[in-house]
Amino acid sequence: MAPSAIPSTAHDGEQDVDLTASAIDHRLAESHHTDGHDAGSVLEPKYDGLDASKINYTFTKEPRDVPAPGVHSIDGSTVCTDHMITVKWTAKSGWETPELRPYGPLTLMPTASVLHYATECFEGLKAYRGFDGKLRLFRPDCNARRFLMSSTRISLPTFPPEAAEKLLIALMAVDGPKWLSRERPGSFIYLRPTLIGTQSQLGVQAPSEALLYVIASYMPVMDSPAGGMKLHTSPNDMVRAWVGGFGYAKVGANYGPSLLATQEARDRGYGQILWLYGSEGFCTEAGASNFFVVWKTQGGKTQLITAPLDDRLILDGVTRRSILQLARERLGDEVEVVERKYTIEEVMEANSEGRLLESFAAGTAFFVTPVSLIHHREQDVQIPMGKAGDGGAYTLKLKGWLRDIMYGNADHPWGVVVPEEQ
């Protein structure tokens, strides 16, 4: 028998079809952990050792003024808080000590991996000033776990999700009292943890140096556009994400290529694109938000329907997940919650038969935004917006439940209180 052209490796005998899935498994379960006595062992996640308890604090000597309510950018630049958190990583030494320091520019070499090969991922979540005076994050553990998943998918270093969550809380503990003061109950601020490859060497390879940073900024309220959100279905010549790709990961490469078509839709009077997939025209996402429809089946059953996660085509949104959980817990007697593939033709058929009840987009930025119209191939689907014109009954009910948790009107474990520095 002729010798193999490929030398033996530690992965001999493993399946050789789903290489990406195997790579992710290897990154998150690199070694067997034993107590030194048991001959057997169980694969457990092994993360690079980011220790969020050892933050060094360097406070700004030039604190900036907090802008008036409603001001979220100045001269085209997003308004950020006084501080940021940064943590460097190298393949040789692992994670360095996190530092909370004044917000300001980053220093990168022109050959940095992120600038050429899109080795970056990020998260987005909000901190909320409750009507009870407390400062909360909404399910930061979910964002931290998704952040880890995205970093692994894009060949960046791993970290304990709990450490990422602690960094978020640490930044808000310092900047929250000033930038989200108790005098502004019912307001929020946006948190953006980001991880980028910084190795200054050209070449298509996983970077051996990286930088994790966390910033906080103001963001406009986007969940109540006049007349509801109006969607234009995606053009035939473009898809935003595809099965086998990375639509399920929060990486910048998911967003940049979609901006051209999105701007064209906005120039025509629509707020976002309803991204369809495949020749069947499966409904996936509204812009960068998850998309929901409430309709009656032909048998008369009320359903809340949204695209599934099993094919890894769409993002596992934290707002999406929360809506589905609340709907199952609190609306189970009257609404069937369905996660399945469904087409734009099904939506149009439900509309023509008077079965389309309401629709909304859901995500961190747009929160829960009612959808009033879908334009598809020269046809308009008008969607009911409720008696007051601000959304259907289920849209508003789910939105209200989430808002109560976020702003402390309802005591719930999803609302994580931040211990503030005074």
Side-chain angles (χ1 to χ4, degrees):
M1 180 181 294
S4 171
I6 305 298
S8 179
T9 73
H11 303 309
D12 286 354
E14 296 182 4
Q15 61 86 15
D16 61 356
V17 177
D18 299 323
L19 296 186
T20 299
S22 293
I24 292 174
D25 289 341
H26 294 150
R27 290 285 303 281
L28 296 181
E30 296 175 292
S31 64
H32 291 274
H33 300 279
T34 70
D35 59 8
H37 302 286
D38 188 355
S41 59
V42 178
L43 277 175
E44 296 177 355
K46 181 184 177 183
Y47 306 122
D48 292 320
L50 172 58
D51 190 346
S53 68
K54 297 181 178 180
I55 299 177
N56 288 330
Y57 290 83
T58 303
F59 297 109
T60 183
K61 296 180 180 179
E62 299 178 355
R64 290 171 293 158
D65 294 332
V66 176
V71 176
H72 51 82
S73 65
I74 298 175
D75 295 331
S77 295
T78 296
V79 175
C80 290
T81 63
D82 285 322
H83 298 95
M84 58 195 280
I85 290 179
T86 59
V87 200
K88 293 181 179 180
W89 173 89
T90 65
K92 181 179 180 180
S93 303
W95 289 105
E96 297 183 4
T97 301
E99 181 181 8
L100 184 142
R101 61 186 181 89
Y103 175 84
L106 302 175
T107 300
L108 291 174
M109 295 300 291
T111 51
S113 173
V114 63
L115 301 178
H116 301 271
Y117 309 112
T119 50
E120 67 85 44
C121 62
F122 62 93
E123 267 304 319
L125 67 159
K126 293 173 180 173
Y128 303 87
R129 177 59 70 185
F131 292 100
D132 59 355
K134 295 180 180 179
L135 183 63
R136 290 177 175 81
L137 300 179
F138 181 76
R139 307 191 76 176
D141 57 320
C142 295
N143 292 95
R145 288 195 298 270
R146 190 173 65 185
F147 194 26
L148 170 64
M149 181 274 296
S150 297
S151 73
T152 306
R153 178 63 182 87
I154 207 72
S155 299
L156 289 169
T158 61
F159 49 83
E162 298 80 8
E165 184 177 352
K166 289 178 181 177
L167 294 180
L168 296 168
I169 291 173
L171 179 58
M172 278 295 91
V174 171
D175 279 359
K178 171 182 173 180
W179 292 85
L180 206 57
S181 71
R182 288 181 171 83
E183 286 69 43
R184 296 188 182 184
S187 59
F188 63 82
I189 205 163
Y190 183 77
L191 287 156
R192 172 56 63 87
T194 306
L195 181 57
I196 61 175
T198 57
Q199 182 183 5
S200 58
Q201 181 177 0
L202 295 178
V204 183
Q205 60 188 332
S208 62
E209 299 175 8
L211 176 70
L212 188 157
Y213 63 90
V214 185
I215 57 175
S217 72
Y218 285 133
M219 171 184 278
V221 175
M222 303 169 66
D223 59 80
S224 301
M229 179 183 285
K230 298 175 177 63
L231 302 176
H232 191 298
T233 55
S234 54
N236 286 329
D237 59 357
M238 183 182 175
V239 293
R240 178 180 179 271
W242 55 93
V243 174
F246 39 85
Y248 65 95
K250 207 162 179 65
V251 298
N254 275 328
Y255 300 90
S258 72
L259 300 181
L260 186 64
T262 298
Q263 187 58 53
E264 180 68 19
R266 288 176 176 169
D267 289 344
R268 299 184 183 198
Y270 302 92
Q272 294 288 335
I273 286 180
L274 175 57
W275 294 102
L276 306 180
Y277 183 71
S279 59
E280 303 87 348
F282 291 120
C283 298
T284 63
E285 294 176 305
S289 301
N290 295 121
F291 178 67
F292 292 79
V293 167
V294 181
W295 61 23
K296 290 278 190 183
T297 66
Q298 291 179 333
K301 181 180 295 184
T302 302
Q303 290 183 336
L304 171 66
I305 185 166
T306 194
L309 302 176
D310 53 10
D311 56 7
R312 292 193 157 193
L313 179 63
I314 68 167
L315 194 69
D316 179 8
V318 178
T319 310
R320 174 193 183 277
R321 176 186 301 199
S322 304
I323 285 170
L324 294 176
Q325 288 181 247
L326 289 175
R328 289 187 172 108
E329 292 172 4
R330 303 181 184 185
L331 297 174
D333 293 338
E334 53 186 294
V335 176
E336 181 183 18
V337 179
V338 179
E339 297 175 75
R340 72 163 175 87
K341 295 179 180 180
Y342 65 103
T343 66
I344 187 62
E345 294 300 329
E346 288 182 79
V347 175
M348 296 181 73
E349 180 182 59
N351 178 63
S352 65
E353 296 176 358
R355 297 185 287 107
L356 185 57
L357 303 181
E358 52 191 275
S359 176
F360 58 89
T364 301
F366 281 95
F367 187 30
V368 179
T369 300
V371 173
S372 61
L373 182 143
I374 301 172
H375 179 79
H376 177 65
R377 308 302 185 260
E378 300 184 355
Q379 297 184 58
D380 286 341
V381 177
Q382 301 283 350
I383 303 174
M385 285 281 289
K387 294 180 179 179
D390 57 353
Y394 291 116
T395 301
L396 296 181
K397 187 171 291 188
L398 290 162
K399 186 174 186 176
W401 288 337
L402 287 172
R403 191 189 301 276
D404 283 345
I405 296 170
M406 293 166 173
Y407 290 104
N409 292 331
D411 186 25
H412 198 284
W414 291 351
V416 178
V417 176
V418 175
E420 302 175 69
E421 300 288 341
Q422 299 299 330

